[in-house]
Amino acid sequence: MLGEKALEEQLAQARAALRDVSRTVAPPEPVESVGEAADGRIRVTVGSDRRVSAVDLDPRVLREGSEQLAEELRRAVNAALDGQDEAAAGTEPMPDLAAMAATVERLQDEGLRQMREITLAVGETMRKLHGKS
């Protein structure tokens, strides 16, 4: 059975390991995505900063009128944004390592406190049983 000091050392090592992991794990990098509309005559690029970085128009698309152009632009932008969402959906969500570390530390501290209380209670009971009150 582990003594209190050995248990505290193991818990400290576990905390340090969790802190080390939380420093080295980086969230996935955002990616660039491209959406097209009007049979490829409109291309919209959304950069890794989730902002529109380029709009490429084939000059022939300008002849279709402003309402048609606006609708096709909307489709291309939405397709590019959907590409961002699809790329993000393909990655595992990043756990909140700081919150996990805080919870582990709280549970470990509470466990040690309870272990000390139990040790004191057992010691007191043993003293009473041996008539050394």
Side-chain angles (χ1 to χ4, degrees):
M1 187 164 121
L2 287 176
E4 187 175 336
K5 282 289 184 199
L7 182 60
E8 283 186 67
E9 283 180 29
Q10 283 189 341
L11 294 176
Q13 289 171 355
R15 287 178 180 177
L18 187 56
R19 277 192 302 274
D20 289 345
V21 167
S22 67
R23 282 188 215 115
T24 59
V25 174
E29 291 294 319
V31 296
E32 180 178 274
S33 62
V34 177
E36 292 186 355
D39 300 321
R41 292 177 292 161
I42 298 175
R43 288 175 43 96
V44 174
T45 304
V46 173
S48 58
D49 59 355
R50 295 193 54 86
R51 311 265 308 164
V52 173
S53 60
V55 176
D56 298 312
L57 301 174
D58 181 316
R60 294 175 292 166
V61 79
L62 298 175
R63 294 185 213 132
E64 296 179 12
S66 61
E67 286 183 22
Q68 183 66 25
L69 178 60
E71 178 61 24
E72 294 298 330
L73 273 171
R74 184 189 64 76
R75 283 190 187 129
V77 169
N78 285 334
L81 291 173
D82 288 345
Q84 292 276 309
D85 294 340
E86 289 168 9
T91 61
E92 289 293 318
M94 175 61 82
D96 185 348
L97 295 177
M100 287 174 58
T103 300
V104 167
E105 287 182 27
R106 183 180 52 77
L107 292 172
Q108 290 172 342
D109 290 342
E110 181 65 20
L112 286 172
R113 186 190 63 73
Q114 289 177 351
M115 186 174 139
R116 287 184 192 111
E117 289 175 4
I118 291 169
T119 301
L120 288 172
V122 167
E124 183 65 26
T125 301
M126 294 303 288
R127 277 190 294 283
K128 287 180 181 178
L129 286 174
H130 289 93
K132 299 178 182 179
S133 14

